[in-house]
Amino acid sequence: MSDIKTPNRCGQIQAHFRREERYEGLQLVFKEHPELKEEILRAIEETMKETGEKPAVFENSEKAGETPYAFYIEFNDDYDKEGGDFFEILLKKLGIDHCEND
């Protein structure tokens, strides 16, 4: 396995959290790296299976090598605030211990 995974990865992956009335969103920003990108996608998919939640997931660009690279995970019309639990599980899987609030 690669040496990408570390206990605190805030230096590799910056997490930005945003919450409005019935919206919750998490942006994961990182320098494009194929192994890191696949790890993040795998963690998102695993979290979706574990929680049964189906957030919208977007990439910032389809161009390889464009930086910074980011994934956006969004819960729209999140009346029961279930996105927060999803994000906590995802961040733990990725080794991220805090988010920036936007």
Side-chain angles (χ1 to χ4, degrees):
M1 186 119 209
S2 81
D3 61 340
I4 291 176
K5 195 159 191 138
T6 59
N8 179 347
R9 303 182 67 191
C10 295
Q12 286 181 308
I13 306 170
Q14 294 180 348
H16 298 270
F17 177 74
R18 184 173 175 187
R19 176 184 285 164
E20 294 178 11
E21 220 170 285
R22 290 169 72 176
Y23 167 87
E24 290 183 309
L26 181 69
Q27 178 187 32
L28 300 174
V29 181
F30 59 100
K31 289 187 179 176
E32 212 276 323
H33 187 287
E35 290 179 31
L36 186 56
K37 178 181 174 182
E38 290 303 314
E39 182 182 345
I40 293 169
L41 284 172
R42 189 171 43 253
I44 292 169
E45 289 174 12
E46 288 174 4
T47 306
M48 289 171 73
K49 287 179 186 175
E50 287 176 26
T51 63
E53 298 294 328
K54 304 284 188 229
V57 179
F58 306 96
E59 293 183 48
N60 71 326
S61 175
E62 294 181 3
K63 293 181 184 177
E66 188 167 318
T67 59
Y69 206 81
F71 285 104
Y72 303 89
I73 303 120
E74 300 180 349
F75 285 86
N76 294 303
D77 204 24
D78 191 15
Y79 183 75
D80 296 322
K81 304 290 186 212
E82 294 169 344
D85 292 337
F86 182 94
F87 296 146
E88 284 184 34
I89 293 167
L90 177 61
L91 292 172
K92 186 174 182 178
K93 284 181 182 293
L94 294 171
I96 300 171
D97 66 358
H98 71 276
C99 291
E100 303 298 325
N101 291 321
D102 292 341

